[in-house]
Each structure stands twice: as structure tokens, then as C-alpha cells.
Amino acid sequence: MYQYRQILVRMRMGESNRAIAQAGLMGRKKAQKLRETAVEHGWLDKVNALPDNTQLAAVLNVTVHTPSSSVSSVLPFANKVNQWIEDGVQGSTIHTTLVNNHGFTGSYWAVNRYIKSVIATQPGKVSTVMEFEPGDATQVDFGAGPLIVDTRTGEMRKTWIFIMTMAWSRHMYAEFIWDQSVDTWLSCHRRAFEWFNGVPKRVVIDNPKCAITKACYHDPDVQRAYGECAEGYGFLIAPCPVRDPQKKGRVESNVKYVKNAFVPLREFRSLADANAQLREWVLSVAGNRDHGTTRRQPLTQFKEIEQGLLTALPDVPPELATWAKVKVHGDGHVQFQHCRYSVPYTLIRESLWLRASDTSVRIYQGYDLKATHGRLRHQGGRSTVPDHQPPAAQAYNMQDPQYCLAQSEKIGEYCHVFTKRLFASRVLDNLRAAQGVISLAKRYGNQRLEAACARALTFDNVRYSAVKQILEKGLDSLPHQGDAFDCLSDSYTGGGRFHRDPNKLIPH
């Protein structure tokens, strides 16, 4: 229509058909037909206004003729393909399905062109820029980071980039991390708030598992630990709708900015070195650039206006802790991050809640605190409170060698020597034997047990069964055999080997 209107303007200025043809706008014959139509409708009269495009197209009967060669080979399958496009199926999958199931012989690019033509006819999505007041909100997101050597193992490990961006000023905090666990998520928030020296009113997030346990448009379920963090620092959690990350587009842009402007062509010796370089870059380069949208420097905007509007940090930082549902195993312990913590044995097979902070582990049944432990860091660690064990186990564990020696010394000298001889064995542990000997005092009394130990030592029979049989048969009350040997030794002149009192050979 623009070309037709241009020719009509030239005709109204008095140009001939030849001049129009020489200008390359239209052939002479076609120009003559247009002139005749224009005269018929009065378009060449300068008093009248030129017709609009709709009227001009209707009079001239202008249509766009599509060559037969450009008809899409996908048209016979248009209904199916249109539905697949609406469902979000990608082009390569549509092409494969058409070839395998519907006898399609065209190329993938034919499908691709058809998809583009369908999308072009659909009404465009209207987007609205979200506005934020200074100090109102910050946006948080993760991004894939580079491979960095783990100084503990010497291996190259995948990293992530945690980024928190102030929604108004666009100033950001960024940090390289190893994982996206709840512990890491909470620790990054603490360091970010300390970096900004304040807390915004809202934190806009996606729906990561470390923050949202159940994503929902209306009623999302917040991770218990993250909820406590929000209460402690005084901010509101604002999760985006599911599959709608555009609601936090400012941090999304900063993730791309860090990945494209900072990460390439840099060398990182360790995670700490990478974070040191990143902090310096944020303050010197990213914070002082002219932002493409605001046309101002993010760091200046933040320091001069936004920082003063943030909520002050609490005097005592809230304790950041992770909650986990655990089950008590048959040994009376629960497991958390490959470490085991004891609970009262009466809770075996029960499901409990475990709260783990940086320094402690607390285990609850409902709202009742059942156990407290120091936090273990090495995998395979085990923390056991003796009072959590069954009475039999407590009694056994309490009667260690030192306990047995102390108790035997209270019973008598011979019992103490007998117990020391038991523990002096190079073959057997003899802890249960010593416990058994000590326990005989409850049934027979200290005096009889002392005499039984003395008789067993006389015959060098250092065994629990020997002491028990002596007491059961009443042999502890018989005359001491050592006196007979001592009497014989005064008059004996032969070469016998055993003529001395064995008790005199025992060191006291």
C-alpha cells in the first residue's frame, strides 16, 4: 500500500507514466490502469484526501498470492501439529513423531518453518515491568559455576553461583558454593545480609527444594529451617509462581552477567580464591558500571539511597538450623548426614524431628526435646549418651576395667590381686570374668569372696569358674593350705620344688 500511495502522490504532482516507470516504481501499462482507477474515484483531485490503506486495498483488489511451491508439507497434519505446539512439544520431537507414526516425508526444517508461522499468527504475550521501592525486595537465584579444584581432595568439582540482587538499585552479592543444600542456602543468606549490612522487606525466590518443600501458586510450603531464618531476620519469603522465573528477572540478568563477564578467561586456585576475586569484581566493576536499564551505577544507588532503608541486622544473629525427619534405628540412634546420634531406647522405631545447627543437634518428639548432642562433622561419627541405653547395657558399660579394679579393692586384698591377674592375661579380655567375680559379692558377701579369691590364688587357678565353685562348695571355709607347706618347709631337707607358701610369691 505504501508503494501505491507514493505513486498516487506523484500523479497528483503531475508526473507522467513514463517518469514513474523510469523511477522504477511501476511499469507504464500498470501505471496507466492505476491512473484510470484514480481518476474514476477522484484520487487525483488535490482537494480530496488520499484514501486510507483499507479503502485503497479494497478498490484495487490487492491480494497476496502464495506460490504453490511455498505451501507447507505439514499442512495435512496441521490439526495434530497445532495441538502439539500448544502443548509445548519441541520441533524435533514433532518431526520424529510425524515421520515414525504418520508417514511424513518432509524435513525437520519444514516442521520448523511451520511452527514459526503458527507462532507468528498467535497474539504476543504482554509483559509488565515490575516496580520496586528502595529497600522493598531482593531477588535470589542460583547459576551454574565453573569447575574448581577441591583443595581437600585435589579433584575438580562442579560449583554453583549464589546471587542476591537488590531489586531497586541492582547492587548484588555473589558467592561460589559447592552445593544447594539447606545449610548452604541459609549460610549464603546470612553472608549476603551482612554484605548489604541490612535486611530487605521481602526475598523473592524461585522454588528450590532448599527453600520450598511444595511449590504451589496459592499455598506453597516453606522449608521449616528457611521459615525460622525469615522469622529471625524479619523478612517475608515471596516465591515465584511455578515455572515463571520472569518474576525475578533482575537476578536472572545478574546470573547471566556474572557467567559471561566474570567467569570466562579467569583462573581459580580454590573456592576461597574464586570468591575473593568475585567480591573484588562486584565492588570494582559490576557495582560501578552504568546499568543498562537504570543508566546509573548500582553501588552508588545502593549506598546513597537504598542501604539506609533496609531493616537493621539483629544484635544477636539468629541460629541457622536444618530440620530433618528421622527414624530411630534398632540400636537407639538416628542418622543425619552419615552421622549417628542416640536417643532414649524407648523411642526405637519412632519417627522424630532433628534440628541441626552449626554446633549442636537437638532431637524432638513433637514439641518435647528428647536428646541433645554436639554436631559431628566427620562421616561415620557416633555420639552416644549412656543414659539413653537400656539398663543392662548401661550396667555393662559402667563396669569397665577401672570400675572392676576399684570395686575389688573395696572387697579385699586377695580379690584385688585376683582381678589384676585376670586383666593381665595376654590372650583374653576377661572383662566379663572380672564383672562376674565382683558380682559374687552380692550373693556370698565380701568376706567369703575374699577367702575364695585367696584359695584360688593358692592353687594358681585365676578363673571365674574356680572362684564360683569354691563358694558353691563351701571350700572357702577350709583351713588354708599354705600353712601346711610352711610347716613342712622348716624340717624338709630334700630337693622338692614346691615347699614355699605361694602367697609369699604374690607381689602386694
Side-chain angles (χ1 to χ4, degrees):
M1 290 301 101
Y2 170 77
Q3 187 178 10
Y4 282 110
R5 294 178 68 87
Q6 186 179 9
I7 295 171
L8 289 175
V9 170
R10 285 174 176 262
M11 288 181 178
R12 294 176 66 156
M13 293 174 62
E15 288 191 11
S16 64
N17 295 339
R18 184 185 297 277
I20 292 174
Q22 289 177 349
L25 297 175
M26 186 178 287
R28 291 173 60 187
K29 292 182 180 181
K30 192 173 181 180
Q32 180 59 34
K33 290 182 180 181
L34 178 60
R35 187 182 292 274
E36 292 173 357
T37 303
V39 171
E40 180 182 352
H41 290 82
W43 293 345
L44 298 184
D45 189 350
K46 296 181 179 181
V47 179
N48 301 326
L50 285 174
D52 57 24
N53 291 340
T54 304
Q55 182 182 358
L56 193 61
V59 172
L60 297 179
N61 194 23
V62 177
T63 57
V64 179
H65 299 283
T66 303
S68 59
S69 60
S70 65
V71 176
S72 175
S73 58
V74 184
L75 284 179
F77 316 97
N79 293 334
K80 292 184 177 63
V81 175
N82 291 345
Q83 183 61 46
W84 293 338
I85 295 173
E86 184 178 348
D87 294 340
V89 181
Q90 63 182 15
S92 59
T93 304
I94 293 175
H95 176 257
T96 302
T97 304
L98 290 175
V99 171
N100 295 339
N101 301 338
H102 302 281
F104 181 67
T105 58
S107 66
Y108 161 75
W109 296 109
V111 176
N112 183 270
R113 287 191 296 270
Y114 180 80
I115 293 174
K116 289 182 178 179
S117 67
V118 171
I119 294 175
T121 60
Q122 296 176 349
K125 294 183 179 180
V126 179
S127 61
T128 302
V129 177
M130 301 181 67
E131 299 294 341
F132 298 91
E133 295 296 325
D136 173 47
T138 186
Q139 299 179 358
V140 180
D141 197 14
F142 287 114
L147 293 175
I148 298 179
V149 64
D150 188 346
T151 54
R152 295 175 300 175
T153 62
E155 298 178 350
M156 299 297 292
R157 288 183 58 185
K158 181 180 180 180
T159 63
W160 300 91
I161 310 173
F162 172 91
I163 297 181
M164 180 181 287
T165 301
M166 300 304 300
W168 184 79
S169 65
R170 271 71 163 188
H171 184 45
M172 66 176 170
Y173 170 80
E175 179 183 357
F176 289 107
I177 53 178
W178 291 124
D179 55 59
Q180 298 184 24
S181 64
V182 177
D183 285 339
T184 303
W185 174 258
L186 299 179
S187 299
C188 287
H189 274 67
R190 168 169 288 178
R191 289 189 286 270
F193 294 148
E194 292 173 352
W195 170 271
F196 295 128
N197 195 27
V199 182
K201 296 180 179 65
R202 294 184 297 142
V203 176
V204 182
I205 62 173
D206 211 339
N207 292 277
K209 288 296 183 182
C210 54
I212 303 297
T213 57
K214 179 183 178 182
C216 178
Y217 187 90
H218 297 287
D219 298 310
D221 290 339
V222 178
Q223 175 72 248
R224 188 171 180 178
Y226 193 39
E228 289 185 348
C229 176
E231 291 180 10
Y233 277 105
F235 65 87
L236 296 177
I237 302 171
C240 293
V242 180
R243 294 184 295 274
D244 192 7
Q246 292 83 0
K247 295 294 190 296
K248 56 178 182 60
R250 302 184 183 189
V251 70
E252 297 273 353
S253 299
N254 268 344
V255 169
K256 296 178 183 177
Y257 177 54
V258 172
K259 291 171 66 174
N260 296 331
F262 172 77
V263 174
L265 306 181
R266 284 180 179 264
E267 295 183 358
F268 306 115
R269 296 188 299 273
S270 64
L271 193 70
D273 175 59
N275 282 322
Q277 293 187 44
L278 182 56
R279 286 191 294 269
E280 191 276 332
W281 178 82
V282 168
L283 292 176
S284 61
V285 178
N288 294 313
R289 75 190 190 281
D290 289 333
H291 194 274
T293 301
T294 64
R295 310 309 303 173
R296 298 188 180 186
Q297 297 177 347
L299 183 57
T300 302
Q301 288 286 92
F302 174 77
K303 286 188 173 181
E304 292 182 355
I305 300 175
E306 190 167 33
Q307 187 173 26
L309 300 175
L310 298 177
T311 303
L313 293 172
D315 295 334
V316 178
E319 184 183 42
L320 302 181
T322 302
W323 287 90
K325 198 72 176 286
V326 294
K327 189 170 183 178
V328 185
H329 296 270
D331 61 352
H333 289 71
V334 299
Q335 183 168 321
F336 176 72
Q337 293 186 352
H338 306 290
C339 296
R340 302 175 79 88
Y341 303 91
S342 68
V343 297
Y345 71 95
T346 55
L347 299 175
I348 288 176
R349 311 304 178 194
E350 295 286 339
S351 293
L352 308 176
W353 278 102
L354 182 146
R355 185 177 187 272
S357 66
D358 289 338
T359 57
S360 66
V361 170
R362 297 184 178 91
I363 304 170
Y364 296 84
Q365 185 182 35
Y367 297 100
D368 297 332
L369 179 64
K370 294 298 182 180
T372 302
H373 299 267
R375 180 74 179 270
L376 301 177
R377 293 296 180 181
H378 59 283
Q379 293 188 3
R382 187 183 183 95
S383 176
T384 303
V385 176
D387 291 342
H388 291 166
Q389 296 180 312
Q394 293 184 37
Y396 177 82
N397 292 332
M398 287 178 60
Q399 297 179 15
D400 59 359
Q402 297 302 322
Y403 171 84
C404 293
L405 288 172
Q407 293 298 315
S408 65
E409 191 172 11
K410 294 178 181 179
I411 293 172
E413 179 181 0
Y414 290 105
C415 185
H416 185 57
V417 173
F418 188 90
T419 305
K420 290 172 64 177
R421 290 280 303 276
L422 283 174
F423 289 133
S425 173
R426 297 183 180 181
V427 179
L428 293 175
D429 174 68
N430 280 334
L431 175 60
R432 288 194 299 273
Q435 293 172 348
V437 171
I438 301 300
S439 66
L440 292 174
K442 297 179 181 179
R443 182 176 180 182
Y444 297 101
N446 292 350
Q447 184 176 358
R448 289 194 62 187
L449 178 58
E450 173 73 2
C453 290
R455 187 175 184 84
L457 289 172
T458 300
F459 294 96
D460 198 27
N461 191 357
V462 187
R463 296 172 63 86
Y464 162 75
S465 57
V467 178
K468 183 179 179 182
Q469 289 180 9
I470 291 174
L471 292 170
E472 289 176 347
K473 296 179 180 181
L475 300 179
D476 55 293
S477 59
L478 294 180
H480 203 280
Q481 297 291 331
D483 296 340
F485 285 105
D486 291 338
C487 295
L488 291 174
S489 63
D490 295 335
S491 58
Y492 183 69
T493 57
R497 298 171 58 192
F498 303 104
H499 62 280
R500 298 183 58 190
D501 182 1
N503 295 326
K504 296 179 181 180
L505 301 177
I506 299 173
H508 295 291

